[in-house]
Amino acid sequence: QSYPASLETMTALCRSVLLLVLPQLGDCLLRLGTEGLVQYREGQVGIVIAVPHGGTRDMLDIPTRRYGTVEGDDHTKELGEVVANAICRNLGKCPHVVISNLKRTKLDPNRDINEAAQGNPKAEQAWREYHGFIDEAKEKEGLGIVIDLHGQSHRRNSTELGYLLSTNQLNRGDFDSEQSSVRQLARRLGRSGKDIIAGFQSLGAYLEQEGYKAFPSPRQPSPGGQAYFPGYYTVERHGSRAGGRFDSVSVETPREVRIDAGRNTRIIFGEALGRAISQFYLANYQPNSNSIQF
């Protein structure tokens, strides 16, 4: 005699089938740069996750950088992959993901080539491939956002979102979108810089809806007295301040959820960040967004 399946069994089966149907980052074509020092997963949507400081490879034939910051952003490679998979599930399409596999002592892709590679030809080649892959993803999609993923240890358990506006600018209420890395987004939607950067459809707003502190956001539009990273080379190069149809945001994740609380917390946070990025993208980059064409 057969019995009807329980609700719990049916739910588990449905989830299993859904996981088989939804895309995953591992389904995306993997391309490697020279000697595998840079990796690129080709996505299908206008989001690029760039991870410059999560690499662990220590190439003996690349000398240690003599100046500049050399501290890596622990666990950001795994975090970036978790974020990307969450976006795959939420959008039904995967983001592009570009990762530097070199230690930051050997290469810093988030600086200009002179400071990044300090004259070493192999490091320079890896730097060119890293930014070349991002350029390729941008050209393929035409419109979207580059997420420059980092980690910081400012001990405030808050994610810092950098748009190339300084602490002083934000603290005095200067959200000039024309000086920001989301210039094109503000122009296209016809919204103010403050609305884009700290409004209710900002990335900070969506991350706070997931239960994690972030700024700029409606709750905290400016750093105040907190330490803050405004974004550096990647956001300058790949954002829209100097033109183009791709914006960029530096996402500086706090060590409390990335390192201190362990791997399970890191994964839960990464999934929440992926959902927040997905919501931000849907609100601001889809055809039904309230856009003004220029």
Side-chain angles (χ1 to χ4, degrees):
Q1 183 178 0
S2 62
Y3 296 92
S6 68
L7 178 61
E8 291 81 2
T9 301
M10 292 299 295
T11 301
L13 287 171
C14 288
R15 285 175 179 167
S16 299
V17 171
L18 188 61
L19 287 173
L20 290 173
V21 172
L22 289 174
Q24 300 179 46
L25 185 62
D27 299 330
C28 299
L29 176 64
L30 173 63
R31 293 169 54 190
L32 298 175
T34 305
E35 296 188 42
L37 301 183
V38 179
Q39 65 182 65
Y40 170 36
R41 289 278 186 183
E42 291 188 22
Q44 311 91 26
V45 72
I47 303 172
V48 183
I49 308 295
V51 187
H53 299 153
T56 58
R57 289 188 62 181
D58 190 7
M59 301 289 288
L60 296 178
D61 54 349
I62 299 178
T64 298
R65 296 169 60 239
R66 302 180 305 280
Y67 60 91
T69 305
V70 295
E71 181 181 1
D73 294 341
D74 292 347
H75 303 299
T76 50
K77 178 178 179 179
E78 181 187 38
L79 181 63
E81 291 168 344
V82 172
V83 169
N85 272 313
I87 294 171
C88 294
R89 291 193 296 272
N90 280 274
L91 297 184
K93 295 180 180 180
C94 290
H96 301 259
V97 180
V98 179
I99 297 173
S100 171
N101 288 320
L102 274 170
K103 284 186 173 182
R104 196 177 183 182
T105 55
K106 303 295 183 175
L107 175 69
D108 186 347
N110 197 34
R111 298 294 187 270
D112 67 73
I113 193 169
N114 294 323
E115 182 177 344
Q118 300 184 11
N120 180 264
K122 184 174 286 189
E124 289 179 343
Q125 179 65 18
W127 183 94
R128 292 189 183 94
E129 290 171 347
Y130 180 88
H131 290 286
F133 282 142
I134 298 175
D135 287 335
E136 186 175 329
K138 290 166 61 182
E139 184 176 356
K140 176 183 176 182
E141 301 298 340
L143 175 72
I145 182 83
V146 174
I147 301 294
D148 185 31
L149 187 64
H150 294 272
Q152 45 82 8
S153 298
H154 291 155
R155 300 289 183 177
R156 301 301 292 265
N157 198 14
S158 187
T159 298
E160 302 164 16
L161 304 171
Y163 300 87
L164 301 180
L165 301 179
S166 70
T167 294
N168 287 337
Q169 283 178 286
L170 296 176
N171 281 348
R172 66 173 182 261
D174 179 6
F175 291 85
D176 185 358
S177 61
E178 291 295 298
Q179 297 183 45
S180 78
S181 57
V182 289
R183 176 188 179 194
Q184 170 64 17
L185 179 59
R187 286 186 169 193
R188 182 168 53 82
L189 299 185
R191 297 179 186 163
S192 69
K194 186 171 184 179
D195 190 21
I196 294 294
I197 293 169
F200 289 98
Q201 288 186 319
S202 66
L203 182 54
Y206 288 116
L207 187 53
E208 292 225 328
Q209 287 175 19
E210 294 288 337
Y212 295 91
K213 290 193 295 183
F215 69 91
S217 64
R219 179 191 60 83
Q220 184 181 351
S222 63
Q226 293 180 225
Y228 174 65
F229 289 131
Y232 294 97
Y233 180 81
T234 300
V235 179
E236 292 175 359
R237 171 168 174 163
H238 296 290
S240 60
R241 183 167 71 175
R245 290 175 57 80
F246 253 80
D247 304 294
S248 185
V249 181
S250 171
V251 177
E252 291 275 0
T253 60
R255 67 171 293 133
E256 288 87 349
V257 293
R258 181 174 43 88
I259 302 172
D260 298 343
R263 186 169 186 266
N264 286 342
T265 297
R266 179 167 61 251
I267 290 172
I268 292 169
F269 169 73
E271 290 173 344
L273 179 56
R275 289 192 297 269
I277 293 170
S278 299
Q279 291 302 310
F280 176 74
Y281 180 81
L282 289 172
N284 294 287
Y285 293 94
Q286 288 297 282
N288 60 353
S289 298
N290 182 24
S291 61
I292 296 175
Q293 299 299 322
F294 288 89

